[in-house]
């Protein structure tokens, strides 16, 4: 059995993004979501509104992370 690159093997990924950068991205998304929730809480929002703000923060953080990955690749 050959260990070389065959037609069924993918070449190693040499992009700038690695598993640690993905973990950093997830932390970034959670930071944005937590920030939105804390700002809503500080403004006197009710608990459902804080949850809604965190959901919007997750979407915004995910969009920002996608954009950062897109411009870095």
């Amino acid at each position: 059995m050959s260990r070389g690159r065959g037609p069924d093997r993918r070449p190693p990924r040499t992009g700038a993004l690695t598993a640690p950068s993905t973990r950093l991205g997830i932390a970034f998304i959670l930071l944005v979501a937590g920030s939105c929730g804390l700002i809503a809480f500080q403004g006197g929002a009710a608990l459902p509104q804080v949850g809604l703000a965190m959901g919007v923060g997750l979407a915004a953080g995910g969009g920002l992370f996608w954009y950062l990955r897109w411009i870095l690749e």
Side-chain angles (χ1 to χ4, degrees):
M1 207 165 141
S2 166
R3 291 188 181 210
R5 201 182 309 170
D8 59 339
R9 293 190 177 220
R10 294 183 183 169
R13 186 172 177 194
T14 59
L17 299 174
T18 59
S21 65
T22 302
R23 287 193 300 264
L24 185 63
I26 291 170
F28 173 75
I29 293 170
L30 293 176
L31 178 70
V32 171
S35 174
C36 290
L38 285 174
I39 289 171
F41 182 73
Q42 182 94 20
L47 193 58
Q49 293 168 331
V50 171
L52 179 64
M54 289 184 75
V56 169
L58 279 171
L64 287 170
F65 181 63
W66 170 83
Y67 178 71
L68 286 173
R69 285 185 68 118
W70 180 66
I71 63 173
L72 289 176
E73 285 185 352

